């Protein structure tokens, strides 16, 4: 039953999820950057990759650092990686904040 449900809802293992976590010391700046990142990804993806979020990370604050995430849902990882590389600056940064990229997070 679980596998059938996952297939119908396009959930792993039938798709890949890529989590982008924006982090920083100012909560408002992190939230705004995550929203801008999601918008930029949606515009650049052209509907070929689903962009979910932004949303507070499951661990919102860790060691005085606030975290928000954006999730990409795709059937193929390479096009999503190319999209991420186009949008993120050198050193995996967006609006000056670090972004952690996690392919198929648990």
């Amino acid at each position: 039953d679980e596998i059938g449900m996952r297939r119908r809802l396009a959930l792993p293992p039938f798709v890949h999820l890529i989590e982008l976590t924006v982090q920083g010391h100012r909560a408002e700046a992190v939230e705004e950057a995550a929203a801008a990142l999601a918008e930029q990804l949606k515009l650049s993806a052209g509907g070929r990759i689903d962009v979910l979020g932004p949303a507070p990370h499951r661990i919102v604050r860790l060691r005085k650092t606030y975290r928000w995430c954006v999730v990409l849902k795709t059937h193929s990882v390479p096009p999503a990686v190319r999209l991420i590389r186009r949008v993120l600056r050198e050193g995996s940064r967006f609006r000056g904040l670090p972004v952690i990229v996690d392919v198929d997070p648990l």
Side-chain angles (χ1 to χ4, degrees):
D1 289 337
E2 179 74 17
I3 290 295
M5 180 195 68
R6 287 180 168 275
R7 180 178 281 125
R8 283 190 308 279
L9 296 175
L11 294 171
F14 302 100
V15 296
H16 296 279
L17 299 178
I18 301 174
E19 182 180 67
L20 292 91
T21 303
V22 181
Q23 54 187 14
H25 295 290
R26 291 185 39 244
E28 301 81 22
V30 173
E31 184 177 354
E32 289 171 8
L37 175 61
E39 188 61 32
Q40 185 65 44
L41 288 166
K42 286 175 188 174
L43 290 173
S44 297
R48 296 181 309 272
I49 297 171
D50 291 330
V51 180
L52 311 173
H57 192 274
R58 60 190 166 278
I59 303 172
V60 177
R61 190 168 180 213
L62 180 66
R63 293 186 209 103
K64 299 181 183 179
T65 301
Y66 295 92
R67 300 158 20 126
W68 274 68
C69 63
V70 176
V71 175
L72 303 181
K73 188 175 174 181
T74 182
H75 290 283
S76 179
V77 172
V81 170
R82 285 192 295 275
L83 169 65
I84 292 166
R85 285 187 176 147
R86 276 197 314 266
V87 172
L88 294 183
R89 301 243 184 256
E90 287 292 320
S92 296
R93 299 180 82 74
F94 188 81
R95 289 195 171 181
L97 297 174
V99 178
I100 297 169
V101 179
D102 190 2
V103 178
D104 290 326
L106 294 177

